[in-house]
């Protein structure tokens, strides 16, 4: 198929076979071809670069010796029964200085930062709006750097030769693509009075101005191309949205209104944020089905209310317990541990257990596998837990403007008390959630 690209035209060839890069499952070739065509069209719409042949690339390298020529490949993902996404991703392999030495950065907000922003939004009963940015990298200028992308072989010149793209914009896979996008976003919203935090560069806050007048307060959490926007009023919210939409295509993914306007829910980076009508508090949770694949892999069909004694599993020294996992068992173990560690970002009660299991993840044993299964049993019946902000714990009381807290401290130097400590800790954590 012939399509326009970068001031010329290229041919896109339909693949004989296509595989989802995440699941390694075969995907429909016709749908994959539709995704490939859509990607090249997006490159053209975003004015990502100028089409070149090999001779033109060599001429550029003579004029600019520091020009980088980077290969690329297709990354395929099956999004639904009727859609396959295909992206051209640069293979910007690290050579020489590290990304840190070069000044490149791909930051993401910490879960503590997200929790802090949600707490502020809850306290002041602010509006929340979820935003999704389409092709954030493709809209982000590269600056003075000279980069030429060698297109995949399925995209070539009309004479069949290799096609190249002299990039003006960033692209998935470039080491500094995320930095370019954050720079574009920061420069854009700074114009309406919103600034990045010094310690958390993906968290923004400020007093929004419009036509010389202050209209309200906002705070943002930016996770690559997903944005959570909290605002004190609709006008401030819309000013920020309009500013972002002026440079990149922006889509609203959800809204949560103030308590007296009915609340609502939205999903941000896999987590559900809910406000109930008439209640300022926010509830943060993960889809209860998130761990279903892990329960299936480990054959967990029944839960346990007892807190798992992870240390006892890891301290076993019998021959069976100390056997290393098989290659297949290791893959299952690593996949499940990864999902649990992501869950733990909003389930602080399981962090200590997972830190113990994670300490042996490079060479897990049967005992470590049993410990992981014990954690899954505990979570089987506990997967509907939600994190409330602010907490309703009875141990937090206000007194004359001060917040009184009760701190419980235990020592593990007396082994007989470990079981009772685990049980008490489980009860305390359950009361908090």
């Amino acid at each position: 198929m012939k399509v326009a690209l970068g001031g010329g035209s290229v041919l896109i060839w339909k693949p004989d076979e296509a595989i989802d890069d995440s699941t390694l499952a075969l995907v429909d070739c016709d749908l994959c071809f539709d995704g490939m065509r859509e990607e090249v069209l997006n490159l053209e719409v975003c004015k990502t670069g100028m089409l070149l042949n090999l001779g033109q690339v060599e001429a550029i390298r003579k004029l600019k010796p520091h020009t980088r020529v980077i290969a690329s490949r297709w990354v395929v993902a099956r999004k639904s029964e009727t859609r396959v996404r295909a992206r051209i991703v640069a293979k910007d392999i690290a050579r020489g200085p590290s990304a840190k030495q070069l000044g490149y950065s791909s930051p993401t907000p910490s879960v503590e930062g997200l929790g802090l922003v949600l707490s502020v939004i809850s306290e002041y009963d602010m509006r929340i709006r979820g935003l999704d940015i389409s092709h954030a990298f493709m809209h982000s200028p590269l600056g003075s750097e000279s980069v030429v992308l060698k297109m995949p072989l399925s995209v070539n010149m009309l004479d069949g030769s290799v096609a190249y793209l002299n990039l003006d914009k960033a692209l998935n896979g470039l080491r500094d693509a995320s930095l370019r996008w954050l720079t574009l976003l920061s420069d854009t919203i700074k114009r309406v009075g919103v600034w990045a935090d010094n310690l958390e560069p993906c968290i923004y806050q400020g007093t929004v101005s419009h036509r010389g007048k202050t209209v309200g307060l906002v705070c943002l959490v930016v996770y690559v191309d997903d944005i959570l926007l909290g605002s004190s009023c609709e006008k401030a919210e819309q000013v920020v949205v309009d500013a972002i939409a002026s440079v990149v295509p922006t889509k609203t993914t959800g809204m949560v209104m103030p308590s007296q306007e009915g609340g609502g829910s939205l999903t941000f980076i896999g987590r559900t944020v809910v406000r109930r009508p008439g209640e300022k508090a926010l509830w943060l949770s993960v889809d209860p089905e998130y761990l279903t694949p892990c329960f299936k892999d480990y054959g967990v069909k029944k839960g346990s209310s007892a807190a798992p004694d992870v240390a006892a599993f890891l301290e076993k020294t019998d021959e069976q317990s100390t056997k290393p996992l098989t290659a297949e068992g290791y893959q299952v173990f690593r996949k499940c541990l990864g999902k649990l560690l992501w869950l733990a970002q909003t389930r602080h009660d399981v962090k200590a257990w997972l830190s113990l299991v994670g300490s042996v993840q490079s060479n897990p044993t049967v005992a470590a596998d049993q410990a992981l299964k014990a954690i899954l049993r505990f979570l089987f019946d506990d997967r509907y837990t939600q994190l409330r902000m602010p907490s309703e714990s009875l141990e937090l009381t206000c007194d004359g403007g001060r917040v009184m807290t009760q701190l419980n401290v235990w020592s593990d130097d007396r082994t007989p008390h470990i079981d009772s400590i685990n049980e008490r800790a489980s009860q305390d954590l359950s009361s908090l959630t």
Side-chain angles (χ1 to χ4, degrees):
M1 175 180 290
K2 179 181 175 181
V3 296
L5 177 64
S9 296
V10 294
L11 294 175
I12 307 176
W13 297 89
K14 179 180 175 181
D16 294 326
E17 184 178 80
I19 297 176
D20 186 304
D21 281 74
S22 298
T23 64
L24 302 183
L26 290 172
V27 297
D28 184 272
C29 291
D30 289 328
L31 293 178
C32 182
F33 188 52
D34 290 340
M36 293 166 64
R37 180 180 59 180
E38 180 183 350
E39 176 74 353
V40 176
L41 290 175
N42 285 327
L43 291 175
E44 175 67 4
V45 170
C46 296
K47 301 185 185 303
T48 309
M50 183 66 66
L51 184 66
L52 304 173
N53 58 34
L54 179 58
Q56 292 169 317
V57 172
E58 291 174 345
I60 288 178
R61 298 191 72 177
K62 288 180 181 179
L63 293 173
K64 301 178 180 179
H66 296 293
T67 297
R68 293 193 296 148
V69 179
I70 301 173
S72 64
R73 72 181 187 93
W74 288 106
V75 174
V76 175
R78 180 176 177 272
K79 305 301 290 184
S80 68
E81 292 291 338
T82 58
R83 181 172 181 264
V84 171
R85 186 184 68 194
R87 284 183 174 172
I88 293 177
V89 176
K91 298 166 67 174
D92 196 359
I93 301 172
R95 294 187 179 91
S98 66
K100 182 178 181 180
Q101 292 170 322
L102 291 170
Y104 298 163
S105 175
S106 299
T108 54
S110 68
V111 67
E112 291 80 12
L114 173 61
L116 177 61
V117 170
L118 289 175
S119 296
V120 170
I121 290 173
S122 171
E123 177 66 22
Y124 292 98
D125 201 12
M126 299 172 76
R127 301 164 58 91
I128 314 176
R129 187 165 176 173
L131 302 174
D132 177 67
I133 306 302
S134 298
H135 309 294
F137 294 169
M138 286 187 192
H139 287 87
S140 305
L142 270 184
S144 59
E145 186 180 15
S146 182
V147 178
V148 174
L149 188 76
K150 181 181 179 182
M151 301 293 281
L153 293 179
S154 52
V155 180
N156 54 40
M157 305 296 282
L158 298 183
D159 62 2
S161 62
V162 176
Y164 296 85
L165 206 60
N166 190 17
L167 295 181
D168 295 317
K169 305 288 181 65
L171 202 66
N172 287 291
L174 290 180
R175 296 168 72 186
D176 60 342
S178 182
L179 174 63
R180 301 300 180 187
W181 156 237
L182 284 178
T183 299
L184 175 63
L185 176 65
S186 299
D187 291 345
T188 299
I189 60 179
K190 186 186 297 184
R191 301 187 191 114
V192 296
V194 184
W195 302 79
D197 183 80
N198 290 331
L199 297 178
E200 288 270 7
C202 295
I203 294 180
Y204 300 77
Q205 64 279 316
T207 303
V208 174
S209 299
H210 180 63
R211 296 179 180 177
K213 295 183 179 180
T214 299
V215 294
L217 304 175
V218 299
C219 50
L220 293 85
V221 180
V222 179
Y223 196 97
V224 192
D225 54 2
D226 290 312
I227 298 177
L228 188 76
L229 168 61
S231 56
S232 61
C233 66
E234 184 178 1
K235 181 62 177 177
E237 174 188 280
Q238 196 58 50
V239 169
V240 175
V241 172
D242 289 344
I244 298 172
S246 69
V247 295
V248 288
T250 304
K251 180 177 68 175
T252 296
T253 58
M255 294 283 295
V256 176
M257 305 301 290
S259 59
Q260 299 308 313
E261 296 180 37
S265 67
L266 59 77
T267 299
F268 178 68
I269 56 174
R271 295 171 175 87
T272 301
V273 181
V274 176
R275 174 181 281 143
R276 299 168 182 172
E279 182 183 36
K280 292 196 305 182
L282 295 175
W283 297 82
L284 187 66
S285 63
V286 174
D287 186 342
E289 299 302 316
Y290 173 71
L291 288 177
T292 297
C294 295
F295 296 143
K296 183 177 179 180
D297 287 341
Y298 277 86
V300 176
K301 299 179 180 180
K302 184 178 180 181
S304 171
S305 59
D309 191 346
V310 173
F313 282 105
L314 299 180
E315 290 170 359
K316 289 182 178 181
T317 57
D318 60 276
E319 183 179 353
Q320 177 62 24
S321 298
T322 55
K323 283 185 177 180
L325 295 180
T326 64
E328 182 180 359
Y330 176 75
Q331 292 298 324
V332 173
F333 175 88
R334 286 294 300 272
K335 181 180 73 172
C336 181
L337 179 60
K339 290 181 75 71
L340 285 170
L341 288 171
W342 185 87
L343 174 71
Q345 293 181 18
T346 45
R347 282 294 303 269
H348 309 296
D349 53 324
V350 301
K351 280 185 175 180
W353 303 329
L354 293 173
S355 66
L356 292 174
V357 176
S359 66
V360 297
Q361 64 178 306
S362 61
N363 188 27
T365 62
V366 170
D369 205 43
Q370 292 173 340
L372 200 64
K373 187 173 183 178
I375 296 173
L376 286 172
R377 286 199 194 97
F378 175 79
L379 291 173
F380 188 85
D381 290 335
D382 203 47
R383 62 187 125 158
Y384 300 98
T385 297
Q386 297 180 335
L387 183 64
R388 185 187 190 275
M389 291 173 285
S391 170
E392 285 187 314
S393 172
L394 297 177
E395 295 179 353
L396 297 177
T397 58
C398 293
D399 179 17
R402 296 177 298 169
V403 176
M404 308 300 294
T405 64
Q406 176 180 341
L407 177 64
N408 297 314
V409 180
W410 295 285
S411 171
D412 62 358
D413 61 343
R414 297 172 62 185
T415 306
H417 290 280
I418 290 179
D419 290 338
S420 61
I421 290 169
N422 282 339
E423 183 178 355
R424 171 66 187 279
S426 176
Q427 293 172 351
D428 288 347
L429 289 166
S430 296
S431 70
L432 289 175
T433 53

